Amino acid sequence: MKSQVADALSQGKPLIFQPAAAGRFFCGGFDLDDLLALPPTEVRDVFADLLTLTRLVFEAPVPVLVLADGHAVGVGGMLALASDRTVLSRRAKIRFPETAIGLGTLSDIVDLLRFRTSGRTAELMAVHARPVTAEQAVALALADSIVDGPGDPLAEMKDLLLGLDLDAFVSAKAACRRGVLAVPVEAQLDAFMAQWMVFRESRTGGTAP
């Protein structure tokens, strides 16, 4: 996905994220069993790609729309928070479950939460892994609107840009978002991988690759 996003950005195309098929999840995050089966160096690469992707989306010099017709968990939640407009189906929830399963969080998750909403909400979601419903997400400015179906991406993108000059939109967006994701990726990965190794040991007893 990272390469597809980078390619779209190089062509100046707007980005629209929506599920490929109907289901309970817009994006359910990583499968822990799959990650535990990987060597730590590959796990680090996976999370490096995640952080790079999220930053590409957050800093994209084009409009970015997320249509989440289902739960946005982990990776999906980061994309929802990094976009210019997030539309949730009424059944959708946003959640970051890392601490609930024994992992710490990433600084970029906290920064995105603080950018979109209050520090207290960020703490409840990042530290206590509290999910928020679609209605709560809109009230907290974590999302922009709710639809009762999958939504119309073209209509939502037109509405996003209604009455705005595209160049002015991009310039103002860059000014508003400058300096938000300030912690270097490598520093985040160092801290996360230290936590991951403890988590891995507790789950596998040292038998993972």
Side-chain angles (χ1 to χ4, degrees):
M1 184 185 292
K2 182 182 70 172
S3 61
Q4 293 172 312
V5 169
D7 182 57
L9 292 179
S10 70
Q11 299 177 52
K13 295 180 179 178
L15 297 176
I16 298 175
F17 292 90
Q18 60 185 139
R24 290 179 57 231
F25 290 92
F26 160 66
C27 180
F30 296 117
D31 186 303
L32 276 178
D33 289 336
D34 288 345
L35 289 177
L36 288 168
L38 296 176
T41 54
E42 292 186 26
V43 174
R44 187 185 181 100
D45 288 343
V46 167
F47 282 91
D49 284 347
L50 163 64
L51 291 173
T52 302
L53 170 64
T54 305
R55 289 179 176 219
L56 283 172
V57 170
F58 186 73
E59 298 166 0
V62 296
V64 182
L65 168 68
V66 164
L67 292 172
D69 184 25
H71 303 317
V73 179
V75 181
M78 292 183 77
L79 290 175
L81 298 182
S83 70
D84 297 306
R85 170 165 293 186
T86 295
V87 180
L88 302 178
S89 65
R90 200 165 295 280
R91 64 179 177 170
K93 294 180 181 178
I94 298 176
R95 189 185 185 205
F96 298 99
E98 290 79 9
T99 55
I101 58 177
L103 285 172
T105 192
L106 294 161
S107 293
D108 277 7
I109 292 177
V110 177
D111 281 355
L112 288 169
L113 283 165
R114 285 176 172 166
F115 176 77
R116 293 294 293 252
T117 187
S118 71
R120 179 55 177 162
T121 298
E123 186 174 62
L124 290 172
M125 293 184 69
V127 177
H128 301 286
R130 181 171 295 180
V132 298
T133 65
E135 289 83 0
Q136 290 170 329
V138 171
L140 293 166
L142 293 167
D144 299 284
S145 59
I146 299 171
V147 295
D148 290 314
D152 181 343
L154 294 181
E156 292 291 348
M157 186 60 78
K158 287 179 180 177
D159 186 55
L160 171 63
L161 295 172
L162 184 65
L164 293 174
D165 175 86
L166 183 58
D167 288 339
F169 172 91
V170 171
S171 176
K173 171 182 173 177
C176 288
R177 299 188 175 206
R178 189 172 296 119
V180 173
L181 302 180
V183 179
V185 167
E186 289 304 313
Q188 292 186 63
L189 292 173
D190 288 343
F192 179 81
M193 288 309 298
Q195 296 164 338
W196 174 260
M197 296 306 292
V198 174
F199 174 79
R200 176 176 173 266
E201 178 71 22
S202 70
R203 288 296 184 99
T204 68
T207 60

